Coordinates of all heavy atoms in Angstrom, one line a residue:
M1 N 153.6 92.6 89.2 CA 153.0 93.7 88.4 C 151.5 93.4 88.1 O 150.7 94.3 88.2 CB 153.8 93.8 87.1 CG 155.1 94.6 87.4 SD 156.1 95.0 86.0 CE 155.1 96.1 85.0
A2 N 151.3 92.1 87.9 CA 149.9 91.8 87.6 C 149.1 92.0 88.8 O 147.9 92.5 88.7 CB 149.9 90.3 87.2
T3 N 149.6 91.7 90.0 CA 148.8 91.8 91.2 C 148.6 93.3 91.5 O 147.6 93.8 91.9 CB 149.5 91.2 92.4 OG1 150.2 90.0 92.0 CG2 148.6 90.9 93.5
D4 N 149.7 94.1 91.3 CA 149.6 95.5 91.6 C 148.5 96.2 90.7 O 147.8 97.0 91.1 CB 151.0 96.1 91.3 CG 151.2 97.4 92.0 OD1 150.5 97.5 93.1 OD2 151.9 98.3 91.5
Y5 N 148.5 95.7 89.5 CA 147.5 96.3 88.5 C 146.1 95.8 88.9 O 145.1 96.6 88.7 CB 147.9 95.8 87.1 CG 147.1 96.6 86.0 CD1 147.5 97.9 85.7 CD2 146.1 96.0 85.4 CE1 146.8 98.6 84.8 CE2 145.4 96.7 84.4 CZ 145.8 98.0 84.1 OH 145.1 98.7 83.1
D6 N 146.0 94.6 89.4 CA 144.7 94.0 89.7 C 144.0 94.6 90.9 O 142.9 94.8 91.0 CB 144.9 92.5 89.9 CG 143.7 91.8 89.3 OD1 143.2 92.2 88.3 OD2 143.2 90.8 89.9
A7 N 144.9 94.9 92.0 CA 144.4 95.4 93.2 C 143.6 96.7 93.1 O 142.4 96.7 93.4 CB 145.5 95.6 94.2
P8 N 144.1 97.7 92.5 CA 143.4 99.0 92.4 C 142.2 98.8 91.5 O 141.2 99.5 91.7 CB 144.4 100.0 91.9 CG 145.5 99.1 91.3 CD 145.5 97.8 92.1
R9 N 142.3 98.0 90.5 CA 141.3 97.8 89.5 C 140.0 97.2 90.2 O 138.9 97.7 90.0 CB 141.8 96.8 88.5 CG 141.0 96.9 87.2 CD 141.6 96.0 86.2 NE 140.7 95.7 85.0 CZ 140.9 94.7 84.2 NH1 141.8 93.9 84.4 NH2 140.1 94.5 83.2
K10 N 140.3 96.2 91.2 CA 139.1 95.6 91.9 C 138.5 96.7 92.8 O 137.2 96.8 92.8 CB 139.7 94.5 92.8 CG 139.4 93.1 92.1 CD 139.8 92.0 93.1 CE 139.6 90.6 92.5 NZ 140.1 89.6 93.4
N11 N 139.3 97.4 93.5 CA 138.8 98.4 94.4 C 137.9 99.4 93.6 O 136.8 99.8 94.0 CB 139.9 99.2 95.0 CG 140.3 98.6 96.4 OD1 139.5 97.8 96.9 ND2 141.4 98.9 96.9
E12 N 138.4 99.8 92.5 CA 137.6 100.8 91.7 C 136.3 100.2 91.2 O 135.2 100.8 91.3 CB 138.4 101.2 90.5 CG 139.1 102.6 90.7 CD 139.8 103.1 89.5 OE1 139.3 102.8 88.4 OE2 140.8 103.8 89.6
D13 N 136.4 98.9 90.8 CA 135.1 98.3 90.4 C 134.1 98.2 91.5 O 132.9 98.5 91.3 CB 135.5 96.8 89.9 CG 135.4 96.7 88.4 OD1 135.9 97.7 87.7 OD2 134.9 95.7 88.0
E14 N 134.6 97.8 92.7 CA 133.6 97.7 93.8 C 133.0 99.1 94.1 O 131.8 99.2 94.2 CB 134.3 97.2 95.1 CG 134.2 95.7 95.1 CD 135.0 95.1 96.4 OE1 135.0 95.8 97.4 OE2 135.5 94.0 96.3
S15 N 133.8 100.1 94.3 CA 133.3 101.4 94.7 C 132.4 101.9 93.6 O 131.4 102.5 93.8 CB 134.4 102.4 95.0 OG 135.2 102.6 93.8
E16 N 132.8 101.6 92.4 CA 131.9 102.1 91.2 C 130.6 101.4 91.3 O 129.5 102.1 91.1 CB 132.7 101.7 89.9 CG 133.1 103.0 89.3 CD 133.7 102.7 87.9 OE1 133.2 101.8 87.3 OE2 134.6 103.5 87.5
S17 N 130.6 100.1 91.5 CA 129.3 99.4 91.5 C 128.4 99.8 92.6 O 127.2 100.0 92.5 CB 129.5 97.9 91.5 OG 130.1 97.5 92.7
I18 N 129.0 100.0 93.8 CA 128.2 100.5 94.9 C 127.7 101.9 94.7 O 126.5 102.1 94.9 CB 129.1 100.5 96.2 CG1 129.5 99.1 96.6 CG2 128.4 101.3 97.3 CD1 130.5 99.1 97.8
E19 N 128.5 102.7 94.1 CA 128.0 104.1 93.8 C 126.9 104.0 92.8 O 125.9 104.7 92.9 CB 129.1 105.0 93.3 CG 129.8 105.7 94.5 CD 130.8 106.7 94.0 OE1 130.9 106.9 92.7 OE2 131.6 107.2 94.8
A20 N 127.1 103.1 91.8 CA 126.1 103.0 90.8 C 124.8 102.5 91.4 O 123.7 103.0 91.1 CB 126.6 102.0 89.7
L21 N 124.9 101.5 92.3 CA 123.7 101.0 92.9 C 123.0 102.1 93.7 O 121.8 102.3 93.7 CB 124.0 99.9 93.9 CG 124.1 98.5 93.2 CD1 124.6 97.4 94.2 CD2 122.7 98.1 92.7
K22 N 123.8 102.9 94.5 CA 123.2 103.9 95.3 C 122.5 104.9 94.4 O 121.4 105.4 94.7 CB 124.4 104.7 96.1 CG 124.7 104.0 97.4 CD 125.7 104.9 98.2 CE 126.0 104.3 99.5 NZ 127.0 105.1 100.2
E23 N 123.1 105.2 93.3 CA 122.5 106.2 92.4 C 121.2 105.6 91.7 O 120.3 106.2 91.4 CB 123.5 106.6 91.3 CG 124.3 107.8 91.8 CD 125.2 108.3 90.7 OE1 124.7 108.6 89.6 OE2 126.4 108.3 90.9
R24 N 121.3 104.3 91.5 CA 120.2 103.6 90.7 C 119.0 103.4 91.5 O 117.9 103.6 91.1 CB 120.7 102.3 90.2 CG 121.3 102.4 88.8 CD 121.6 101.0 88.3 NE 122.6 101.1 87.2 CZ 123.1 100.0 86.6 NH1 122.7 98.8 87.0 NH2 124.0 100.1 85.6
V25 N 119.1 103.1 92.8 CA 118.0 102.8 93.7 C 117.0 103.9 93.8 O 115.8 103.8 93.5 CB 118.4 102.3 95.1 CG1 117.3 102.2 96.0 CG2 119.2 100.9 94.9
P26 N 117.5 105.1 94.2 CA 116.6 106.2 94.3 C 116.1 106.6 92.9 O 114.9 107.1 92.8 CB 117.4 107.4 94.9 CG 118.9 106.9 94.7 CD 118.9 105.4 94.6
D27 N 116.9 106.5 91.9 CA 116.5 106.8 90.6 C 115.3 106.0 90.1 O 114.3 106.5 89.6 CB 117.7 106.6 89.6 CG 117.5 107.5 88.4 OD1 117.4 108.7 88.5 OD2 117.5 106.9 87.3
K28 N 115.4 104.7 90.4 CA 114.3 103.8 90.0 C 113.0 104.1 90.8 O 112.0 104.2 90.3 CB 114.7 102.3 90.4 CG 115.2 101.6 89.2 CD 115.4 100.1 89.5 CE 116.0 99.3 88.3 NZ 116.2 97.9 88.7
G29 N 113.2 104.4 92.1 CA 112.0 104.7 92.9 C 111.3 105.9 92.4 O 110.1 105.9 92.2
S30 N 112.1 107.0 92.1 CA 111.5 108.2 91.7 C 110.8 108.0 90.3 O 109.8 108.5 90.0 CB 112.5 109.3 91.6 OG 113.5 109.1 90.6
A31 N 111.5 107.2 89.5 CA 111.0 106.9 88.2 C 109.6 106.2 88.3 O 108.7 106.5 87.6 CB 111.9 106.0 87.4
V32 N 109.5 105.3 89.2 CA 108.2 104.5 89.4 C 107.1 105.5 89.8 O 106.0 105.4 89.4 CB 108.4 103.4 90.4 CG1 107.1 102.8 90.7 CG2 109.3 102.3 89.8
I33 N 107.5 106.4 90.7 CA 106.5 107.3 91.3 C 106.1 108.3 90.2 O 104.9 108.6 90.0 CB 107.0 108.0 92.5 CG1 107.2 107.0 93.7 CG2 106.1 109.1 92.9 CD1 107.9 107.6 94.8
D34 N 107.1 108.8 89.5 CA 106.8 109.8 88.5 C 106.0 109.3 87.3 O 104.9 109.8 87.0 CB 108.1 110.4 88.0 CG 108.6 111.5 88.9 OD1 107.8 112.0 89.7 OD2 109.8 111.8 88.9
E35 N 106.5 108.2 86.7 CA 105.8 107.7 85.6 C 105.6 106.2 85.8 O 106.5 105.4 85.7 CB 106.6 107.9 84.3 CG 108.1 108.0 84.6 CD 108.9 108.0 83.3 OE1 108.4 107.6 82.3 OE2 110.1 108.2 83.4
D36 N 104.4 105.8 86.1 CA 104.1 104.3 86.4 C 103.1 103.8 85.4 O 102.0 103.3 85.8 CB 103.6 104.2 87.8 CG 102.5 105.1 88.1 OD1 102.3 106.1 87.3 OD2 101.9 105.0 89.1
P37 N 103.4 103.8 84.1 CA 102.5 103.2 83.1 C 102.6 101.7 83.1 O 101.6 101.0 82.9 CB 103.0 103.8 81.8 CG 104.4 104.1 82.0 CD 104.6 104.4 83.5
D38 N 103.8 101.2 83.4 CA 104.0 99.7 83.4 C 103.8 99.2 84.8 O 103.4 98.0 85.0 CB 105.3 99.4 82.9 CG 105.5 99.7 81.4 OD1 104.4 99.7 80.7 OD2 106.5 100.0 81.0
N39 N 104.1 100.0 85.9 CA 104.1 99.5 87.2 C 103.0 100.2 88.0 O 103.3 101.2 88.7 CB 105.4 99.6 87.9 CG 106.3 98.3 87.7 OD1 105.7 97.3 87.4 ND2 107.5 98.5 87.9
P40 N 101.8 99.9 88.0 CA 100.7 100.6 88.7 C 101.0 100.5 90.2 O 101.1 99.4 90.7 CB 99.4 99.9 88.3 CG 99.8 98.6 87.7 CD 101.2 98.8 87.2
S41 N 101.1 101.6 90.9 CA 101.3 101.6 92.3 C 100.0 101.8 93.0 O 98.9 101.7 92.5 CB 102.3 102.7 92.7 OG 101.8 103.9 92.2
G42 N 100.0 102.1 94.3 CA 98.8 102.4 95.1 C 98.0 103.5 94.5 O 96.7 103.4 94.5
F43 N 98.6 104.5 93.9 CA 97.9 105.5 93.3 C 97.0 105.0 92.2 O 95.8 105.3 92.1 CB 98.9 106.6 92.8 CG 99.5 107.4 93.9 CD1 100.9 107.2 94.1 CD2 98.8 108.3 94.6 CE1 101.5 108.0 95.1 CE2 99.4 109.0 95.6 CZ 100.8 108.8 95.9
E44 N 97.6 104.2 91.3 CA 96.9 103.7 90.2 C 95.7 102.9 90.6 O 94.6 102.9 90.1 CB 97.8 102.9 89.3 CG 97.2 102.5 88.0 CD 97.8 103.3 86.8 OE1 98.7 104.2 87.1 OE2 97.5 103.1 85.7
L45 N 96.0 102.0 91.6 CA 94.9 101.1 92.1 C 93.8 101.9 92.7 O 92.6 101.6 92.4 CB 95.5 100.2 93.2 CG 96.1 98.9 92.7 CD1 96.7 98.1 93.9 CD2 95.1 98.1 92.0
Q46 N 94.1 103.0 93.4 CA 93.0 103.8 94.0 C 92.2 104.4 92.9 O 91.0 104.4 92.9 CB 93.6 104.9 94.9 CG 93.9 104.4 96.3 CD 94.5 105.4 97.1 OE1 94.6 106.6 96.7 NE2 95.0 105.1 98.3
G47 N 92.9 104.9 91.9 CA 92.2 105.5 90.7 C 91.3 104.5 90.1 O 90.1 104.7 89.7
A48 N 91.8 103.3 89.9 CA 91.0 102.2 89.2 C 89.8 101.9 90.0 O 88.7 101.8 89.5 CB 91.8 101.0 89.0
D49 N 90.0 101.8 91.4 CA 88.8 101.5 92.2 C 87.7 102.6 92.1 O 86.6 102.3 91.9 CB 89.3 101.5 93.7 CG 89.4 100.1 94.2 OD1 88.9 99.2 93.5 OD2 90.0 99.8 95.2
L50 N 88.2 103.8 92.1 CA 87.2 104.9 92.0 C 86.5 104.9 90.7 O 85.3 105.0 90.6 CB 87.9 106.3 92.2 CG 88.3 106.6 93.7 CD1 89.1 107.9 93.7 CD2 87.0 106.8 94.5
S51 N 87.2 104.7 89.6 CA 86.6 104.7 88.3 C 85.7 103.5 88.2 O 84.6 103.6 87.6 CB 87.7 104.6 87.2 OG 88.3 103.4 87.3
D52 N 86.0 102.4 88.9 CA 85.1 101.2 88.9 C 83.8 101.6 89.5 O 82.7 101.3 89.0 CB 85.8 100.1 89.6 CG 86.1 98.9 88.7 OD1 85.9 99.0 87.5 OD2 86.5 97.9 89.2
L53 N 83.9 102.2 90.7 CA 82.6 102.6 91.3 C 81.8 103.6 90.5 O 80.6 103.5 90.3 CB 83.0 103.3 92.7 CG 83.4 102.3 93.8 CD1 83.9 103.1 95.0 CD2 82.2 101.4 94.2
D54 N 82.5 104.5 89.9 CA 81.9 105.5 89.0 C 81.2 104.8 87.9 O 80.0 105.1 87.5 CB 82.9 106.5 88.4 CG 83.1 107.7 89.3 OD1 82.3 107.8 90.3 OD2 84.1 108.4 89.1
L55 N 81.9 103.8 87.3 CA 81.3 103.0 86.1 C 80.0 102.3 86.6 O 79.0 102.4 85.9 CB 82.3 102.0 85.6 CG 83.2 102.5 84.5 CD1 84.2 101.5 84.1 CD2 82.4 103.0 83.3
D56 N 80.1 101.7 87.8 CA 78.9 101.0 88.3 C 77.7 102.0 88.4 O 76.6 101.7 88.0 CB 79.2 100.4 89.7 CG 79.7 99.0 89.5 OD1 79.6 98.5 88.4 OD2 80.3 98.5 90.5
V57 N 78.0 103.2 89.0 CA 76.9 104.1 89.2 C 76.4 104.6 87.8 O 75.2 104.8 87.7 CB 77.5 105.3 90.0 CG1 76.4 106.4 90.0 CG2 77.9 104.9 91.4
V58 N 77.3 104.8 86.9 CA 76.8 105.2 85.6 C 76.0 104.2 84.9 O 75.1 104.5 84.2 CB 78.1 105.6 84.7 CG1 77.6 105.9 83.3 CG2 78.7 106.9 85.3
V59 N 76.4 102.9 85.0 CA 75.7 101.8 84.3 C 74.3 101.6 84.9 O 73.4 101.2 84.2 CB 76.6 100.5 84.4 CG1 75.7 99.4 83.9 CG2 77.8 100.7 83.6
L60 N 74.2 101.8 86.2 CA 72.9 101.5 86.8 C 71.7 102.2 86.2 O 70.7 101.6 85.9 CB 73.0 101.8 88.3 CG 73.5 100.6 89.1 CD1 73.7 101.0 90.6 CD2 72.6 99.4 89.1
P61 N 71.7 103.6 86.0 CA 70.6 104.3 85.5 C 70.3 103.8 84.1 O 71.1 103.3 83.4 CB 71.0 105.7 85.4 CG 72.5 105.8 85.7 CD 72.8 104.5 86.4
P62 N 69.0 103.8 83.7 CA 68.6 103.3 82.4 C 69.2 104.0 81.2 O 69.6 105.1 81.3 CB 67.1 103.4 82.4 CG 66.8 104.4 83.4 CD 67.9 104.3 84.4
Q63 N 69.4 103.3 80.1 CA 70.0 103.9 78.9 C 68.9 104.8 78.3 O 67.8 104.9 78.8 CB 70.3 102.8 77.9 CG 71.3 101.7 78.5 CD 72.6 102.4 78.8 OE1 73.3 103.0 78.0 NE2 73.1 102.2 80.1
A64 N 69.3 105.4 77.2 CA 68.5 106.4 76.5 C 67.2 105.7 76.0 O 66.1 106.3 76.0 CB 69.2 107.0 75.4
D65 N 67.3 104.4 75.6 CA 66.1 103.7 75.1 C 65.5 102.8 76.2 O 64.8 101.9 75.9 CB 66.5 102.9 73.9 CG 67.6 101.9 74.1 OD1 68.2 102.0 75.2 OD2 67.8 101.0 73.3
E66 N 65.8 103.1 77.4 CA 65.3 102.3 78.5 C 64.7 103.2 79.6 O 65.0 104.4 79.6 CB 66.3 101.4 79.1 CG 66.8 100.3 78.2 CD 67.9 99.5 78.9 OE1 68.6 100.1 79.8 OE2 68.1 98.3 78.5
F67 N 63.9 102.7 80.4 CA 63.3 103.4 81.5 C 63.1 102.5 82.7 O 63.0 101.3 82.6 CB 62.0 104.1 81.1 CG 60.8 103.1 80.9 CD1 60.0 102.8 82.0 CD2 60.7 102.3 79.8 CE1 59.0 101.9 81.8 CE2 59.7 101.4 79.6 CZ 58.8 101.2 80.6
T68 N 63.0 103.1 83.9 CA 62.7 102.4 85.1 C 61.3 102.6 85.5 O 60.9 103.7 85.9 CB 63.7 102.8 86.2 OG1 65.0 102.7 85.8 CG2 63.5 101.9 87.4
C69 N 60.5 101.5 85.5 CA 59.1 101.6 85.9 C 59.1 102.0 87.4 O 59.7 101.4 88.2 CB 58.4 100.3 85.6 SG 56.8 100.2 86.2
V70 N 58.2 103.0 87.7 CA 58.1 103.4 89.1 C 57.2 102.5 89.9 O 57.1 102.6 91.1 CB 57.6 104.9 89.2 CG1 58.6 105.8 88.6 CG2 56.2 105.0 88.5
S71 N 56.6 101.5 89.2 CA 55.7 100.6 89.9 C 56.4 99.3 90.3 O 56.4 98.9 91.4 CB 54.5 100.3 89.1 OG 53.6 99.4 89.7
C72 N 57.0 98.7 89.3 CA 57.8 97.4 89.6 C 59.3 97.7 89.7 O 60.0 96.8 90.0 CB 57.4 96.4 88.5 SG 58.0 96.9 86.8
F73 N 59.7 98.9 89.4 CA 61.1 99.3 89.5 C 62.0 98.4 88.7 O 63.2 98.2 89.0 CB 61.6 99.1 91.0 CG 60.8 100.0 91.9 CD1 59.8 99.5 92.8 CD2 61.0 101.4 91.9 CE1 59.1 100.4 93.6 CE2 60.3 102.3 92.7 CZ 59.4 101.7 93.6
L74 N 61.5 97.9 87.6 CA 62.3 97.1 86.6 C 62.7 98.1 85.5 O 62.0 99.0 85.1 CB 61.5 95.9 86.1 CG 61.3 94.8 87.0 CD1 60.5 93.7 86.4 CD2 62.6 94.2 87.6
V75 N 63.9 97.8 85.0 CA 64.4 98.6 83.8 C 63.8 97.9 82.6 O 64.1 96.8 82.3 CB 65.9 98.7 83.8 CG1 66.4 99.4 82.5 CG2 66.5 99.3 85.0
K76 N 63.0 98.7 81.8 CA 62.4 98.1 80.6 C 62.8 98.9 79.4 O 63.2 100.1 79.5 CB 60.9 98.2 80.8 CG 60.4 97.5 82.1 CD 59.5 96.3 81.8 CE 59.1 95.6 83.1 NZ 58.3 94.4 82.8
H77 N 62.6 98.3 78.3 CA 62.8 99.0 77.0 C 61.7 100.0 76.8 O 60.6 99.8 77.2 CB 62.9 98.0 75.9 CG 63.5 98.6 74.6 ND1 62.7 99.1 73.6 CD2 64.8 98.9 74.3 CE1 63.5 99.6 72.6 NE2 64.7 99.5 73.0
R78 N 62.0 101.0 76.0 CA 61.0 102.1 75.8 C 59.8 101.5 75.1 O 58.7 102.0 75.3 CB 61.6 103.2 74.9 CG 62.5 104.1 75.6 CD 62.3 105.6 75.2 NE 62.7 106.5 76.2 CZ 61.8 107.1 77.0 NH1 60.6 106.7 77.0 NH2 62.2 107.9 77.9
S79 N 59.9 100.4 74.4 CA 58.8 99.8 73.7 C 57.8 99.3 74.8 O 56.6 99.0 74.5 CB 59.2 98.7 72.8 OG 59.9 97.7 73.5
Q80 N 58.2 99.0 76.0 CA 57.4 98.5 77.1 C 56.7 99.7 77.9 O 56.0 99.4 78.8 CB 58.2 97.7 78.0 CG 58.8 96.5 77.4 CD 57.8 95.4 77.0 OE1 57.0 95.0 77.8 NE2 57.7 95.1 75.7
L81 N 57.1 100.9 77.5 CA 56.5 102.1 78.2 C 55.1 102.3 77.9 O 54.7 102.3 76.7 CB 57.3 103.3 77.9 CG 56.8 104.6 78.4 CD1 56.9 104.7 80.0 CD2 57.5 105.8 77.8
D82 N 54.2 102.3 78.9 CA 52.8 102.5 78.7 C 52.5 104.0 78.8 O 52.0 104.6 77.8 CB 52.0 101.8 79.7 CG 50.5 101.8 79.4 OD1 50.1 101.0 78.5 OD2 49.8 102.7 79.9
H83 N 52.8 104.7 79.9 CA 52.6 106.1 80.0 C 53.5 106.6 81.1 O 54.0 105.9 82.0 CB 51.2 106.4 80.3 CG 50.7 105.9 81.6 ND1 50.3 104.6 81.8 CD2 50.5 106.5 82.8 CE1 49.9 104.4 83.1 NE2 50.1 105.6 83.7
E84 N 53.7 107.9 81.1 CA 54.4 108.6 82.2 C 53.5 109.2 83.2 O 52.4 109.7 82.9 CB 55.3 109.7 81.6 CG 56.2 109.3 80.5 CD 57.7 109.3 81.0 OE1 57.9 109.7 82.2 OE2 58.6 108.9 80.3
T85 N 53.9 109.0 84.5 CA 53.2 109.6 85.6 C 54.0 110.7 86.2 O 55.2 110.9 85.8 CB 52.8 108.6 86.6 OG1 54.0 108.2 87.3 CG2 52.2 107.4 86.0
K86 N 53.5 111.4 87.2 CA 54.2 112.4 87.9 C 55.5 111.8 88.6 O 56.5 112.4 88.7 CB 53.4 113.1 89.0 CG 52.4 114.1 88.5 CD 51.7 114.8 89.6 CE 50.7 115.8 89.1 NZ 49.8 116.3 90.2
L87 N 55.3 110.6 89.0 CA 56.4 109.9 89.7 C 57.4 109.4 88.7 O 58.6 109.2 89.0 CB 55.9 108.7 90.5 CG 55.0 109.2 91.7 CD1 54.4 108.0 92.4 CD2 55.9 110.0 92.7
G88 N 57.0 109.1 87.5 CA 57.9 108.5 86.5 C 57.1 107.6 85.5 O 55.9 107.5 85.5
P89 N 57.8 106.9 84.7 CA 57.2 106.0 83.7 C 56.6 104.7 84.3 O 57.1 104.2 85.3 CB 58.4 105.7 82.8 CG 59.6 105.8 83.6 CD 59.3 106.8 84.6
I90 N 55.5 104.3 83.7 CA 54.9 103.0 84.1 C 55.0 102.1 82.9 O 54.7 102.5 81.7 CB 53.4 103.3 84.4 CG1 53.3 104.2 85.6 CG2 52.7 102.0 84.7 CD1 53.6 103.6 86.9
C91 N 55.4 100.9 83.1 CA 55.5 99.9 82.1 C 54.1 99.3 81.7 O 53.2 99.5 82.5 CB 56.5 98.8 82.4 SG 55.8 97.6 83.6
M92 N 54.0 98.7 80.6 CA 52.8 98.1 80.1 C 52.2 97.1 81.0 O 51.0 97.0 81.2 CB 53.0 97.5 78.7 CG 53.3 98.6 77.6 SD 53.7 97.8 76.0 CE 52.1 97.9 75.2
E93 N 53.1 96.3 81.6 CA 52.6 95.2 82.5 C 51.9 95.8 83.7 O 50.9 95.4 84.2 CB 53.8 94.4 83.0 CG 54.2 93.3 82.0 CD 55.3 92.5 82.5 OE1 55.3 92.0 83.7 OE2 56.3 92.3 81.8
C94 N 52.5 96.9 84.3 CA 51.9 97.5 85.5 C 50.7 98.3 85.1 O 49.8 98.4 85.9 CB 53.0 98.4 86.2 SG 54.3 97.5 86.9
A95 N 50.6 98.9 83.9 CA 49.5 99.7 83.5 C 48.3 98.8 83.2 O 47.2 99.2 83.3 CB 49.9 100.5 82.3
A96 N 48.6 97.5 82.8 CA 47.5 96.6 82.4 C 46.6 96.2 83.6 O 47.1 96.0 84.6 CB 48.1 95.4 81.7
Ligands
LIG1 ZN1 56.2 98.1 85.8

């Protein structure tokens, strides 16, 4: 009786676990693609790369209180600005 009860029980367990796995695998995959806040995939990496490039480009131009001298091409503070030309600002060192 014990064996009889055990046999179908095992079978059900196996088929159940396999079905559960089958259902879980695609579910996990779609979950990762749909919402990947914890698991950044290729999409996330590409976005990070692009934003990194964007940040670099944004950081390069002078800040509001800075300027790029058109003579020495150095970024200087506004206090170093001597005068503006048609081409752009000239720093005190280059104007001297
Ligand atoms: Zn200069």
Side-chain angles (χ1 to χ4, degrees):
M1 279 184 69
T3 326
D4 203 26
Y5 193 75
D6 216 37
R9 203 175 163 198
K10 261 188 183 175
N11 267 346
E12 261 187 30
D13 252 40
E14 266 180 32
S15 64
E16 248 187 29
S17 64
I18 289 173
E19 270 187 9
L21 273 176
K22 272 186 179 179
E23 272 184 56
R24 269 186 199 177
V25 171
D27 202 58
K28 262 189 184 176
S30 66
V32 169
I33 292 173
D34 276 341
E35 27 166 348
D36 48 347
D38 293 330
N39 268 341
S41 57
F43 287 110
E44 188 109 356
L45 272 176
Q46 277 178 8
D49 257 345
L50 283 176
S51 66
D52 244 5
L53 284 174
D54 272 347
L55 270 178
D56 271 346
V57 173
V58 170
V59 168
L60 273 174
Q63 304 294 307
D65 59 346
E66 289 177 336
F67 69 96
T68 304
C69 174
V70 294
S71 181
C72 63
F73 298 107
L74 289 178
V75 177
K76 306 245 178 182
H77 194 261
R78 280 220 159 265
S79 61
Q80 299 292 304
L81 174 66
D82 188 83
H83 66 279
E84 299 254 358
T85 70
K86 280 183 184 175
L87 293 174
I90 298 283
C91 73
M92 291 173 98
E93 277 182 46
C94 292

